[in-house]
Amino acid sequence: MKILMVSSEAVPWAKTGGLADMVSALSISLAKLGHEVKIVLPRYYSINKDQLTLLPGGMGTPMGGVEEWSAVYTTEMPGTTKRNSIDVYFIDHNKYFGRDGIYGNQTETDFLDNPRRFIFFCRSAFQLCRKLDWYPDVLHAHDWPAAVVPVYLKFAERVSGSLGGFEKTVSILTIHNLGYQGIYSKDNFDYTGLGWDVYYNAGFEDFNMMNMLKAGLYSADKLSTVSPNYAEETKTQYNGFRLDGVLRYRRADYCGILNGIDNKVWNPSKDEYIPVTYSKKDLTGKAKAKEALQKEFGLPLDPKVPVIGMVTRLTDQKGVGDLFGPTYGSVWSICKDMDLQFILLGSGESWCENEIRGLASRLSNFKARIGYSEKVSHLIEAGSDFFLMPSRYEPCGLNQMYSLIYGTIPIVRRTGGLADTVENFNEKTGSGTGFMFDYLSPSSIYDTVGWAVWAWYNRRNDIEKMRKRGMSLDFSWEKSAQKYLELYEATQKTMGIVTAN
Ligand code: ADP
Ligand code: GLC
């Protein structure tokens, strides 16, 4: 199959979260299974074009009556072989992407022209195929920045009178986070160049605003999200971010496929960022990583005290209000009352960053680094004993999976993909892979961390067994990539498209 991934993020070029990891890892796995995969990304200012190859000739993209010109750069996905290489294309347009930031910056957290930037990006995905004379069987769009792709396919490209080429193409839209929908003033709709009938028919209309994700959810041939449990949750009012009705309406075409993890990058027996690699047969490397982590954060080098680690975006989704909230957050009492060390790496909302700095200056066993670091994140995954994810919602979550295979026991809220990947500790039988709670509140976080710390000091045998159980789990991408292929095929079937073989 020919598959074009349309995404605003992909590692190693642009990343704010797990979306970037998922897009590249899924593409690599599909290519390994013998499929022809290409990825298209904006050429953000931070992506060095000297390392890319410029395609000859420019590319014109119609943008509501005018044609916008861009350059197209390309390179191959690193780490792939000739047989399963992936071409990655970058749309270079100075006005839209020639600035710092993917979606925003410190002063303008959501760029005012984001609707225009990403409408342009979606439209240019089609122009790119024309330029390459390469028409995909599947257009796989990710999250709201790519959500107008299925709209164009359905209402502009697969209709009679269009320029042609996409008659046999189907579209999939994957939701990575329903909390971000791309809702903007409807004045921006004119940039799409589509008629106002499409505005209503495609489902852009949202209380007099333009909702880009909603239109994608109505228009894509099939929908998916990144865990089976999140697919169920998003159909309920509680977790549906006002789009539960749309998702219930499309339930026959909507499924959840659990993300895998890239086991070349996240693998304790190959990890280049940790002092000594390890496996479940020999955990000495894990003890060394703990020591290195304690040293890195200036904590006493004590193997006996449990280390609770966290790597996260500091945003409401991740439960940071209940953990660090200025008047009632639980971290203060956790660190005061319990014999543990708490280490955090994260960046995000400034109230939270400030709160964390304040806590770190007053608590001797709480250390934090505000910022982004691939290396430190690996060290935290390897060197911690427990990994905390008290998420308000979590479509899939990658860090709990990294934790499990690194022998670091997750402490998580039972939500989204966390519920699909972690099994709660059973005190009677000793079974389970982590510690879980349901209701998000400062006291539940306090109690559950307390439970884990109690088990650390009193149920050492169970803890060691849980570690090993986690390390034996298989979160490789192969299984998930196979499910995406089945989804692609099912979509072709639903759309009545017959392929050559
Ligand atoms: P989300 O995409 O919602 O942030 P995920 O768990 O799916 O959550 O993915 C988060 C990814 O981003 C993980 O790979 C995690 O290690 C990484 N990450 C988040 N914050 C940081 C940080 N400050 N430094 C390094 N990596 C980070
Ligand atoms: C989003 C979600 C996260 C998921 C990631 C990759 O960022 O918040 O839970 O793991 O996408 O699909």
Side-chain angles (χ1 to χ4, degrees), residues 39 53 120 204 218-219 231 264 374 391 446:
I39 302 178
T53 309
F120 167 75
F204 281 100
Y218 268 114
S219 308
K264 270 212 187 104
E374 224 33 68
S391 304
Y446 179 92

Side-chain angles (χ1 to χ4, degrees), residues 7-25 41-47 90 100-104 118 143 145 176 259-262 265-266 273 311-313 318 345 347-348 371-378 381 387 397-399 402 477:
S7 172
S8 54
E9 300 184 26
V11 286
W13 300 283
K15 168 165 167 172
T16 66
L19 164 67
D21 298 292
M22 185 281 191
V23 169
S24 296
L41 289 169
R43 208 285 291 180
Y44 303 109
Y45 192 55
S46 56
I47 304 172
F90 298 85
D100 282 331
I102 295 182
Y103 310 111
F118 289 105
D143 268 354
H176 294 260
N259 284 336
I261 58 178
D262 183 346
V265 181
W266 290 98
Y273 291 121
V311 180
T312 187
R313 291 186 290 121
K318 303 294 177 180
L345 167 68
S347 63
Y372 190 93
S373 163
E374 224 33 68
K375 180 174 190 292
V376 178
S377 74
H378 280 249
E381 282 294 2
F387 194 94
L398 299 175
N399 280 107
Y402 302 155
W477 258 107

Side-chain angles (χ1 to χ4, degrees), residues 37-55:
V37 187
K38 297 186 192 292
I39 302 178
V40 56
L41 289 169
R43 208 285 291 180
Y44 303 109
Y45 192 55
S46 56
I47 304 172
N48 184 357
K49 56 183 176 188
D50 296 343
Q51 287 163 8
L52 312 173
T53 309
L54 179 66
L55 292 189

